[in-house]
Amino acid sequence: MAVTGFSIFPASLSPVIHRDFTPLVWKFSKSNSISFRRLAVSTEQTQTQTPTTTATPTTTRRFSEKSEELGEAEVAASVDEVEQNGRVWREYFERSKELISRSDGGPPRWFTPLESGPPLKNSPLLLFLPGILSVGLGLIKNHRRIGKIFEIWCLHIPVMDRTPFTDLVKLVEKTIRSENDRSPNRPIYLVGESFGGCLALAVAASNPDIDLVLILANPTTSISRSQLQPLMTLLEFIPDQLPFSPPNMLSLMTGQPLRTAIESVVKGLPLQQTVGELSQDLDAISSYLSVLADILPRETLRWKLQMLKSGSAVSNSRLHAVKAQTLILSSGRDQLLPSQEEGERLCHALPKCEIRKFNNSGHFLLLEDGIDLVTIIKGASFYRRGKYLDYVSDYMLPTPTEFKKVEEDNKWISAFTSPVMLSTLEDGKIVRGLAGIPSEGPVLLVGYHMLLGFELVPLIANIFRERNILVRGIAHPMLFMKKGNIQETFLDVSQYDTFRIMGAVPVSASNLFKLLSSKSHVLLYPGGVREASHRKGEEYELMWPEQSEFVRMAARFGAKIIPFGAVGEDDISELVFDYDDQMKIPYLKNQIEKLRNAAVNLRTDATGEVANQDLHFPGILPKFPGRFYYYFGKPIETEGLKQELKDRDKAHELYLQVKSEVRRCLAFLKEKRESDPYRNLLSRLIYQATHSFTSEIPTFKL
């Protein structure tokens, strides 16, 4: 049944329509009413609530036919939600004030922000479970971004509500069971902030049969070790007659535990930067602290602190029963909780858990500038629309903001190496730039893998920037390993989030099939790990397997194969500590063997050096930077060769042709770079100083 009403958000936006279990709408005025989706907590509590006005249900489609056809390209171009901290917190407090002033004091209920959505077709449901403030606006900074890929419901717990923790668990359980019955094949995401993290864990422990994905931001499971302990103790002894609010206590309790606790809240928001925009001292934000006092009056604060204790006790006692896929987000400067230590503890206790650390963030992580929950989810490969993650169909293109951040994080590579990009047109002419790469897929880029994959970022970034083509890389499964598989090794899987955001997929025949069938541009390195972690003296040697691995797959879809070479690794570094050296040291040998056992074994049927796919990190010494050169050869057509290449000999012949072309590209670049007057960094800096630092630096003559 659909119920119509108006949101608390700007009246210029369209009204939001909610499915309802009990069709009740809290209405206050024609011009400024609030629409909630209400779930009764219990029969006893519902009977004690203030009577409400029942609205006449109407049936209205929430999304138009056109919006239901929303595609990935529109998601990629969605409005950037990252705002300045001051503006975010102003909006948070203003909307919180309006929400609590308009609320009828009823039981907890769900609402959907108007600015969220419409989501993609078959998007999963995301339930936001708030922290101690319980307003439900913790995702306000990214409502629109999140609403593009999730159906988002936020839990609002009114200020005077006294629903026990166990009943809150039942409320969320009722919701997820109802939605699971309606859409059994889509996952349900529980995003728990602070106290909401305990609630999410308790719900997951009681519902192992439902496909849940937990995202927990600084959960309060460590409340026993919290900076809030002095505040809890203090509240027990404050007389009821003593006026209590954060502003009052700031003036009365100078230097006392409560002021310290409140200042910790301020720092943890983090309001140090926010206050810099709103005010230069604590007194100037009294208007916002007064909202905080309205949200957490003394009795409510006492109740919430007791809820934190009970929620922590319940969730900790049931961690063993949690089977859900879980992502922990831990702040390094959380002044309320030891969040990073707790994140590590939870990650070891939960069987399907990953962790992402934010060393410079405070307790209210999801409201901070630069924290984009959607990007975090994408980077951790946690977004899926079905029971299992599909790296092709569940993938979303990087937004301009995400791509810009990738470039900024890796700009030193391009700054030091000034990549030269060459490609070959259909008539065989070599040109500077990437005009020779076909716009339409399927296209398979096959080439040489530099030491440590130095060439990857400039290659993918330049193609994306110049041609607006996202190249999907076929990557080693190491990039997608879970922390539980490698917790005894030195590998940090979060360092590969950028590759996942930019479209990397685990190497497999099925993933290559899906990419080519969807007419993608695909990047493939037949030499794999062995080539990218070669030994001393092996630079620019192709470590390809004997058998053809990709030719017939390319021919099946008529893909164009583009052989390419990339040189320059020997101009920026010298390999001094290779695999052979490391295997002579017992500790490093042990680490390599642990990674070998944890990772998926590739090419188990191969022979020779290419079969050695042991993961390790070669030791290098930097050189005074030279330059990177890329040369994409003439596309090799496979259209119409599907039947012919079923013959293994014919397929192998084409495979050797591709390999020979890659060798030719490498030889061409190695020869031509000798005549580049700007191969050295110093000469390039002089050129830019006399021209412009944004001007294209010349290279050898073609």
mmCIF file of all heavy atoms in Angstrom, residues 25-47:
data_model
loop_
_atom_site.group_PDB
_atom_site.id
_atom_site.type_symbol
_atom_site.label_atom_id
_atom_site.label_comp_id
_atom_site.label_asym_id
_atom_site.label_seq_id
_atom_site.Cartn_x
_atom_site.Cartn_y
_atom_site.Cartn_z
ATOM 1 N N VAL A 25 0.491 8.722 8.531
ATOM 2 C CA VAL A 25 1.350 9.842 8.176
ATOM 3 C C VAL A 25 1.191 10.935 9.220
ATOM 4 O O VAL A 25 0.082 11.287 9.589
ATOM 5 C CB VAL A 25 0.984 10.395 6.780
ATOM 6 C CG1 VAL A 25 1.832 11.613 6.460
ATOM 7 C CG2 VAL A 25 1.178 9.323 5.727
ATOM 8 N N TRP A 26 2.349 11.435 9.728
ATOM 9 C CA TRP A 26 2.308 12.553 10.669
ATOM 10 C C TRP A 26 2.245 13.846 9.873
ATOM 11 O O TRP A 26 3.186 14.195 9.178
ATOM 12 C CB TRP A 26 3.558 12.530 11.551
ATOM 13 C CG TRP A 26 3.430 11.561 12.692
ATOM 14 C CD1 TRP A 26 3.209 11.852 14.001
ATOM 15 C CD2 TRP A 26 3.520 10.134 12.618
ATOM 16 N NE1 TRP A 26 3.159 10.713 14.755
ATOM 17 C CE2 TRP A 26 3.340 9.637 13.929
ATOM 18 C CE3 TRP A 26 3.701 9.211 11.577
ATOM 19 C CZ2 TRP A 26 3.359 8.287 14.237
ATOM 20 C CZ3 TRP A 26 3.719 7.867 11.876
ATOM 21 C CH2 TRP A 26 3.547 7.424 13.192
ATOM 22 N N LYS A 27 1.146 14.587 9.964
ATOM 23 C CA LYS A 27 0.975 15.806 9.173
ATOM 24 C C LYS A 27 0.804 16.995 10.118
ATOM 25 O O LYS A 27 0.096 16.924 11.115
ATOM 26 C CB LYS A 27 -0.240 15.687 8.259
ATOM 27 C CG LYS A 27 -0.149 14.496 7.300
ATOM 28 C CD LYS A 27 -1.265 14.492 6.313
ATOM 29 C CE LYS A 27 -1.080 15.581 5.292
ATOM 30 N NZ LYS A 27 -2.051 15.531 4.213
ATOM 31 N N PHE A 28 1.462 18.100 9.755
ATOM 32 C CA PHE A 28 1.441 19.263 10.639
ATOM 33 C C PHE A 28 0.855 20.495 9.967
ATOM 34 O O PHE A 28 0.142 21.252 10.570
ATOM 35 C CB PHE A 28 2.847 19.556 11.153
ATOM 36 C CG PHE A 28 3.363 18.455 12.014
ATOM 37 C CD1 PHE A 28 4.085 17.415 11.466
ATOM 38 C CD2 PHE A 28 3.092 18.439 13.375
ATOM 39 C CE1 PHE A 28 4.552 16.388 12.267
ATOM 40 C CE2 PHE A 28 3.562 17.402 14.184
ATOM 41 C CZ PHE A 28 4.289 16.376 13.626
ATOM 42 N N SER A 29 1.225 20.733 8.741
ATOM 43 C CA SER A 29 0.650 21.867 8.030
ATOM 44 C C SER A 29 0.724 21.572 6.549
ATOM 45 O O SER A 29 1.530 20.769 6.108
ATOM 46 C CB SER A 29 1.410 23.155 8.349
ATOM 47 O OG SER A 29 2.702 23.121 7.783
ATOM 48 N N LYS A 30 -0.098 22.233 5.818
ATOM 49 C CA LYS A 30 -0.145 21.989 4.379
ATOM 50 C C LYS A 30 1.158 22.349 3.710
ATOM 51 O O LYS A 30 1.596 21.705 2.763
ATOM 52 C CB LYS A 30 -1.301 22.793 3.771
ATOM 53 C CG LYS A 30 -1.498 22.525 2.281
ATOM 54 C CD LYS A 30 -2.704 23.254 1.782
ATOM 55 C CE LYS A 30 -2.933 22.987 0.295
ATOM 56 N NZ LYS A 30 -4.099 23.697 -0.224
ATOM 57 N N SER A 31 1.826 23.384 4.210
ATOM 58 C CA SER A 31 3.033 23.860 3.543
ATOM 59 C C SER A 31 4.301 23.195 4.046
ATOM 60 O O SER A 31 5.320 23.209 3.381
ATOM 61 C CB SER A 31 3.170 25.376 3.725
ATOM 62 O OG SER A 31 3.276 25.691 5.108
ATOM 63 N N ASN A 32 4.249 22.597 5.236
ATOM 64 C CA ASN A 32 5.493 22.082 5.804
ATOM 65 C C ASN A 32 5.187 20.848 6.637
ATOM 66 O O ASN A 32 5.250 20.858 7.852
ATOM 67 C CB ASN A 32 6.162 23.147 6.667
ATOM 68 C CG ASN A 32 7.626 22.825 6.906
ATOM 69 O OD1 ASN A 32 8.132 21.831 6.408
ATOM 70 N ND2 ASN A 32 8.277 23.681 7.671
ATOM 71 N N SER A 33 4.811 19.774 5.983
ATOM 72 C CA SER A 33 4.477 18.549 6.692
ATOM 73 C C SER A 33 5.565 17.515 6.500
ATOM 74 O O SER A 33 6.428 17.644 5.658
ATOM 75 C CB SER A 33 3.138 17.998 6.198
ATOM 76 O OG SER A 33 3.207 17.764 4.817
ATOM 77 N N ILE A 34 5.506 16.499 7.331
ATOM 78 C CA ILE A 34 6.532 15.465 7.324
ATOM 79 C C ILE A 34 5.892 14.136 6.975
ATOM 80 O O ILE A 34 4.831 13.795 7.476
ATOM 81 C CB ILE A 34 7.212 15.362 8.700
ATOM 82 C CG1 ILE A 34 7.821 16.708 9.078
ATOM 83 C CG2 ILE A 34 8.275 14.287 8.705
ATOM 84 C CD1 ILE A 34 8.424 16.720 10.457
ATOM 85 N N SER A 35 6.555 13.384 6.119
ATOM 86 C CA SER A 35 6.050 12.068 5.755
ATOM 87 C C SER A 35 7.010 11.014 6.272
ATOM 88 O O SER A 35 8.201 11.079 6.023
ATOM 89 C CB SER A 35 5.945 11.953 4.236
ATOM 90 O OG SER A 35 5.874 10.606 3.850
ATOM 91 N N PHE A 36 6.501 10.054 7.024
ATOM 92 C CA PHE A 36 7.318 8.958 7.533
ATOM 93 C C PHE A 36 6.673 7.636 7.168
ATOM 94 O O PHE A 36 5.464 7.537 7.006
ATOM 95 C CB PHE A 36 7.444 9.018 9.059
ATOM 96 C CG PHE A 36 8.326 10.114 9.547
ATOM 97 C CD1 PHE A 36 7.788 11.181 10.238
ATOM 98 C CD2 PHE A 36 9.689 10.072 9.318
ATOM 99 C CE1 PHE A 36 8.604 12.193 10.690
ATOM 100 C CE2 PHE A 36 10.509 11.079 9.776
ATOM 101 C CZ PHE A 36 9.964 12.141 10.460
ATOM 102 N N ARG A 37 7.515 6.650 7.134
ATOM 103 C CA ARG A 37 7.026 5.299 6.937
ATOM 104 C C ARG A 37 7.126 4.649 8.303
ATOM 105 O O ARG A 37 8.215 4.455 8.836
ATOM 106 C CB ARG A 37 7.922 4.613 5.926
ATOM 107 C CG ARG A 37 7.482 3.233 5.547
ATOM 108 C CD ARG A 37 8.464 2.725 4.489
ATOM 109 N NE ARG A 37 8.223 1.368 4.143
ATOM 110 C CZ ARG A 37 8.446 0.362 4.962
ATOM 111 N NH1 ARG A 37 8.886 0.580 6.161
ATOM 112 N NH2 ARG A 37 8.206 -0.873 4.588
ATOM 113 N N ARG A 38 5.997 4.349 8.912
ATOM 114 C CA ARG A 38 5.982 3.973 10.321
ATOM 115 C C ARG A 38 5.945 2.467 10.489
ATOM 116 O O ARG A 38 5.208 1.758 9.822
ATOM 117 C CB ARG A 38 4.771 4.591 11.023
ATOM 118 C CG ARG A 38 4.669 4.183 12.480
ATOM 119 C CD ARG A 38 3.435 4.763 13.118
ATOM 120 N NE ARG A 38 3.262 4.245 14.469
ATOM 121 C CZ ARG A 38 2.239 4.533 15.233
ATOM 122 N NH1 ARG A 38 1.303 5.334 14.801
ATOM 123 N NH2 ARG A 38 2.145 4.021 16.434
ATOM 124 N N LEU A 39 6.751 1.952 11.468
ATOM 125 C CA LEU A 39 6.690 0.562 11.894
ATOM 126 C C LEU A 39 6.442 0.544 13.392
ATOM 127 O O LEU A 39 7.202 1.122 14.161
ATOM 128 C CB LEU A 39 8.014 -0.163 11.614
ATOM 129 C CG LEU A 39 8.410 -0.287 10.144
ATOM 130 C CD1 LEU A 39 9.754 -0.968 10.046
ATOM 131 C CD2 LEU A 39 7.366 -1.081 9.396
ATOM 132 N N ALA A 40 5.381 -0.094 13.824
ATOM 133 C CA ALA A 40 5.123 -0.181 15.260
ATOM 134 C C ALA A 40 6.170 -1.078 15.907
ATOM 135 O O ALA A 40 6.496 -2.136 15.392
ATOM 136 C CB ALA A 40 3.724 -0.743 15.504
ATOM 137 N N VAL A 41 6.691 -0.658 17.051
ATOM 138 C CA VAL A 41 7.713 -1.443 17.746
ATOM 139 C C VAL A 41 7.091 -2.599 18.503
ATOM 140 O O VAL A 41 7.537 -3.729 18.432
ATOM 141 C CB VAL A 41 8.503 -0.542 18.711
ATOM 142 C CG1 VAL A 41 9.527 -1.349 19.473
ATOM 143 C CG2 VAL A 41 9.192 0.559 17.928
ATOM 144 N N SER A 42 6.099 -2.318 19.238
ATOM 145 C CA SER A 42 5.406 -3.372 19.972
ATOM 146 C C SER A 42 3.984 -2.910 20.243
ATOM 147 O O SER A 42 3.677 -1.726 20.229
ATOM 148 C CB SER A 42 6.113 -3.677 21.296
ATOM 149 O OG SER A 42 6.051 -2.552 22.155
ATOM 150 N N THR A 43 3.100 -3.855 20.520
ATOM 151 C CA THR A 43 1.707 -3.505 20.772
ATOM 152 C C THR A 43 1.581 -2.586 21.976
ATOM 153 O O THR A 43 0.867 -1.587 21.960
ATOM 154 C CB THR A 43 0.882 -4.783 21.008
ATOM 155 O OG1 THR A 43 1.033 -5.634 19.881
ATOM 156 C CG2 THR A 43 -0.582 -4.449 21.224
ATOM 157 N N GLU A 44 2.339 -2.914 23.059
ATOM 158 C CA GLU A 44 2.242 -2.118 24.270
ATOM 159 C C GLU A 44 2.688 -0.686 24.016
ATOM 160 O O GLU A 44 2.046 0.261 24.447
ATOM 161 C CB GLU A 44 3.110 -2.745 25.367
ATOM 162 C CG GLU A 44 2.603 -4.093 25.859
ATOM 163 C CD GLU A 44 2.954 -5.208 24.880
ATOM 164 O OE1 GLU A 44 3.778 -4.967 23.974
ATOM 165 O OE2 GLU A 44 2.396 -6.297 25.012
ATOM 166 N N GLN A 45 3.795 -0.523 23.289
ATOM 167 C CA GLN A 45 4.309 0.830 23.086
ATOM 168 C C GLN A 45 3.404 1.629 22.163
ATOM 169 O O GLN A 45 3.148 2.802 22.375
ATOM 170 C CB GLN A 45 5.721 0.787 22.511
ATOM 171 C CG GLN A 45 6.285 2.183 22.374
ATOM 172 C CD GLN A 45 7.668 2.168 21.781
ATOM 173 O OE1 GLN A 45 8.134 1.146 21.337
ATOM 174 N NE2 GLN A 45 8.299 3.321 21.752
ATOM 175 N N THR A 46 2.916 1.001 21.111
ATOM 176 C CA THR A 46 2.061 1.697 20.157
ATOM 177 C C THR A 46 0.819 2.258 20.843
ATOM 178 O O THR A 46 0.350 3.349 20.537
ATOM 179 C CB THR A 46 1.649 0.745 19.027
ATOM 180 O OG1 THR A 46 2.827 0.215 18.430
ATOM 181 C CG2 THR A 46 0.828 1.460 17.977
ATOM 182 N N GLN A 47 0.296 1.500 21.838
ATOM 183 C CA GLN A 47 -0.907 1.951 22.516
ATOM 184 C C GLN A 47 -0.662 3.187 23.367
ATOM 185 O O GLN A 47 -1.581 3.919 23.678
ATOM 186 C CB GLN A 47 -1.442 0.812 23.392
ATOM 187 C CG GLN A 47 -1.991 -0.344 22.567
ATOM 188 C CD GLN A 47 -2.375 -1.514 23.443
ATOM 189 O OE1 GLN A 47 -2.034 -1.565 24.621
ATOM 190 N NE2 GLN A 47 -3.116 -2.463 22.883
#
